[in-house]
């Protein structure tokens, strides 16, 4: 049954500790007054008589986490089947997304960017439909910033027929589904995504580890084509995220005005310096380099992974040291949905402090999506709150052990209450 959109009574949320993300300190005790979908007071001096008290005991309140690269339409027990692209219709993919959205929310991630369908849907923007269903309260899931279909050239990294090296004329795709060549088609494709509800544009600026069509990082769109994507998106007030691994392709994407680089695995120091200068975000997806299962991939792809992943780890460490704006993103289901906090652990392994990693999934992510209503536990902001055991500033793995999830003032997980029942 769908949940009510807001509780009838104010909620006093109480715990042993609370994280002040800006100050980087734990506040004791942690108390938040929730009214409607907002935090109305921190450590309230007075509490309404009709407030419902939720006492979480020895837990730490932190802001709802954010994952800046997921694909909720993919993933599941049979995710690695090579027949998925031609067996799953739009209805099946949508039902997959319902389960994945719930799993992601219960893991403590209350906002995500769904970065582009690369499946056959007849031009339907399934992530926009998923966002609407969640926003209406019909199903459980995080807030979604949808990209619609990723924009990619024929045979590009996000051309779904490329992943399985299909024969010609198998699974034909349209410009509306993101397969666009040349400036004219690119403008058409971007405008179509925007018309039907995309809130960010995703494109493919280079090959990837799983690309059959050349070395990882080779540029796919021309500089002129990349500029056309940026021009169309920016005039509509949308940012552009680009899958990009190679150094020169990353530099060209930045020069074209791309707002966010996904992966950036082979970027040199000079390119990272340019990212700092331009304020370009990096969604590192660095846990992939530790745990992505490529055992079922073709031998040539396994060889690319063995070459690229060690270099990628070093690149992300240098990006952190240089002060690139790194936001949390997992590329789920390359990493299974619901294990999103593994990325925070990996960011700490690459050189971030636990506080920096938490900021990557809160304040930095909020800045990336231009959302000034979340990412902190402050009066007036959305009541997106999770609770974890222990001290996440001392042990980032605490973020993997979420015990409580509230989104917009509604409780979606409370392990203590569920145990009591």
């Amino acid at each position: 049954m769908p949940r009510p959109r807001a509780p009838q009574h104010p909620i006093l949320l109480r715990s042993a500790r609370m994280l002040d993300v800006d100050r980087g300190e734990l506040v004791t005790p942690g108390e938040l007054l929730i009214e409607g979908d907002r935090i109305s007071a921190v450590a309230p001096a007075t509490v309404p008589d009709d407030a419902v008290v939720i006492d979480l005991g020895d837990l730490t309140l932190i802001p709802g986490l954010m994952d800046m690269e997921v694909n909720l339409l993919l993933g599941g027990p049979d995710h690695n089947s090579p027949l998925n692209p031609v067996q799953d219709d739009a209805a099946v993919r949508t039902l997959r997304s319902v389960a994945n959205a719930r799993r992601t929310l219960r893991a403590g991630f209350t906002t995500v960017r769904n970065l582009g369908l690369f499946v056959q849907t007849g031009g339907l923007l399934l992530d926009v439909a998923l966002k609407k269903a969640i926003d209406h309260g019909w199903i459980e899931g995080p807030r979604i910033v949808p990209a619609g279909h990723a924009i990619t050239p024929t045979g590009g990294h996000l051309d779904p027929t490329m992943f399985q090296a299909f024969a010609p004329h198998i699974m034909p795709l349209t410009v509306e589904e993101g397969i666009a060549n040349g400036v004219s088609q690119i403008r058409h494709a971007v405008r179509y995504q925007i018309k039907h509800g995309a809130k960010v544009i995703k494109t493919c600026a280079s090959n990837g580890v799983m690309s059959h069509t050349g070395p990882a990082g080779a540029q796919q769109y021309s500089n002129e084509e990349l500029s056309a994507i940026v021009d169309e998106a920016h005039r509509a007030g949308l940012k552009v995220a680009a899958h990009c691994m190679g150094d020169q392709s990353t530099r060209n994407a930045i020069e074209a005005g791309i707002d966010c680089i996904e992966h950036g695995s082979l970027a040199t120091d000079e390119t990272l310096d340019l990212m700092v200068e331009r304020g370009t975000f990096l969604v590192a997806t660095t846990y992939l380099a530790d745990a992505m299962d490529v055992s079922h991939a073709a031998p040539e792809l396994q060889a690319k992974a063995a070459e690229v992943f060690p270099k990628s780890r070093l690149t992300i460490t240098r990006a952190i040291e240089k002060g690139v704006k790194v936001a949390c993103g997992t590329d789920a289901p390359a990493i299974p949905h619901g294990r999103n906090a593994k990325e925070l652990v990996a960011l700490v392994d690459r050189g971030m402090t636990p506080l920096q990693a938490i900021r990557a999934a809160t304040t930095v992510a909020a800045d990336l999506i231009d959302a000034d209503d979340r990412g902190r536990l402050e009066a007036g902001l959305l009541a997106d709150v999770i609770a974890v055991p222990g001290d996440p500033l001392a042990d980032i793995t605490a973020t993997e052990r979420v015990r409580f999830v509230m989104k917009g003032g509604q409780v979606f997980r409370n392990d203590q209450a569920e145990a009591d029942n």
Side-chain angles (χ1 to χ4, degrees):
M1 293 292 292
R3 297 172 181 265
R5 290 191 62 81
Q8 294 182 345
H9 298 284
I11 293 175
L12 178 64
L13 196 56
R14 178 182 292 155
S15 69
R17 297 164 297 278
M18 178 176 67
L19 176 61
D20 184 319
V21 176
D22 288 328
R23 289 164 51 196
E25 299 175 355
L26 293 180
V27 178
T28 56
E31 289 191 342
L32 299 173
L33 183 63
I34 313 298
E35 297 188 82
D37 66 350
R38 302 274 167 165
I39 300 170
S40 63
V42 177
T46 60
V47 177
D49 293 338
D50 62 342
V52 175
V53 178
I54 299 179
D55 193 333
L56 298 175
D58 190 27
L59 294 179
T60 302
L61 300 180
I62 63 177
L65 300 173
M66 306 186 211
D67 189 327
M68 295 292 98
E69 183 171 358
V70 301
N71 194 326
L72 296 172
L73 279 298
L74 300 176
D78 60 343
H79 171 63
N80 288 321
S81 169
L83 296 178
N84 281 164
V86 290
Q87 286 185 328
D88 282 6
D89 57 21
V92 171
R93 290 208 178 275
T94 303
L95 292 173
R96 281 183 186 274
S97 73
V98 172
N100 293 333
R102 183 176 186 272
R103 190 174 294 117
T104 301
L105 178 62
R106 287 181 60 84
F109 284 76
T110 54
T111 297
V112 302
R113 283 193 314 172
N114 199 80
L115 279 194
L117 311 176
F118 42 96
V119 294
Q120 190 175 43
T121 69
L124 300 175
L125 275 61
L126 302 185
D127 57 350
V128 173
L130 178 65
K131 167 184 166 56
K132 290 178 180 178
I134 291 171
D135 290 348
H136 286 311
W138 300 341
I139 58 176
E140 297 181 1
R143 305 175 194 279
I144 295 177
V145 180
H149 293 87
I151 313 300
T152 188
T154 297
H157 178 69
L158 296 180
D159 177 345
T161 65
M162 175 279 303
F163 283 103
Q164 302 301 334
F166 290 157
H169 311 302
I170 299 296
M171 194 177 162
L173 295 160
T174 64
V175 172
E176 289 80 7
E177 290 166 306
I179 305 299
N181 302 292
V183 169
S184 178
Q185 285 191 352
I186 281 171
R187 291 190 185 277
H188 177 175
V190 173
R191 289 172 181 175
Y192 183 88
Q193 310 314 313
I194 295 171
K195 173 185 176 181
H196 293 289
K199 300 303 179 186
V200 62
I201 296 299
K202 170 71 178 294
T203 190
C204 186
S206 85
N207 263 342
V209 171
M210 293 294 107
S211 297
H212 285 276
T213 51
Q219 187 166 329
Q220 295 188 326
Y221 271 135
S222 69
N223 294 349
E224 181 185 21
E225 289 170 317
L226 290 175
S227 295
I229 293 168
V230 172
D231 178 55
E232 287 295 334
H234 285 186
R235 282 191 291 106
L238 272 60
K239 286 183 174 177
V240 180
H243 165 95
C244 204
M245 289 191 167
D247 179 62
Q248 189 60 53
S249 54
T250 299
R251 175 174 288 270
N252 289 341
I254 297 167
E255 295 281 7
I258 297 289
D259 302 283
C260 181
I261 300 296
E262 312 300 310
H263 316 303
S265 306
L266 304 175
T268 61
D269 285 347
E270 292 76 13
T271 299
L272 295 174
D273 288 339
L274 182 62
M275 295 184 75
V276 174
E277 177 187 331
R278 296 290 182 89
T280 308
F281 288 85
L282 174 64
V283 174
T285 64
T286 192
Y287 184 62
L288 290 181
D290 297 336
M292 184 176 177
D293 182 8
V294 298
S295 61
H296 300 288
E300 63 270 21
L301 301 185
Q302 294 186 42
K304 278 205 289 184
E307 176 187 359
V308 171
F309 285 164
K311 295 178 180 178
S312 176
R313 296 185 190 101
L314 296 175
T315 298
I316 303 312
T317 295
R318 296 200 313 275
I320 293 167
E321 292 171 348
K322 288 177 173 294
V324 174
K325 293 192 291 188
V326 177
C328 171
T330 60
D331 208 7
I335 297 305
H337 298 291
R339 300 182 188 174
N340 312 63
K342 291 286 188 184
E343 180 69 12
L344 302 186
V345 178
L347 287 172
V348 170
D349 184 64
R350 303 295 184 262
M352 282 191 177
T353 65
L355 176 61
Q356 287 176 314
I358 292 171
R359 285 173 175 166
T362 54
T363 55
V364 178
D367 188 21
L368 172 54
I369 60 174
D370 295 322
D372 59 3
D373 59 357
R374 68 200 77 170
R376 298 172 172 84
L377 301 180
E378 291 182 3
L381 301 191
L382 288 168
D384 292 358
V385 188
I386 69 173
V388 299
D391 178 2
L393 297 182
D395 179 11
I396 192 61
T397 66
T399 58
E400 298 182 81
R401 299 186 293 276
V402 172
R403 299 290 181 261
F404 174 88
V405 176
M406 170 183 280
K407 188 192 79 171
Q410 299 179 55
V411 177
F412 289 89
R413 177 173 183 173
N414 186 347
D415 289 3
Q416 179 177 319
E418 292 169 8
D420 291 343
N421 292 331

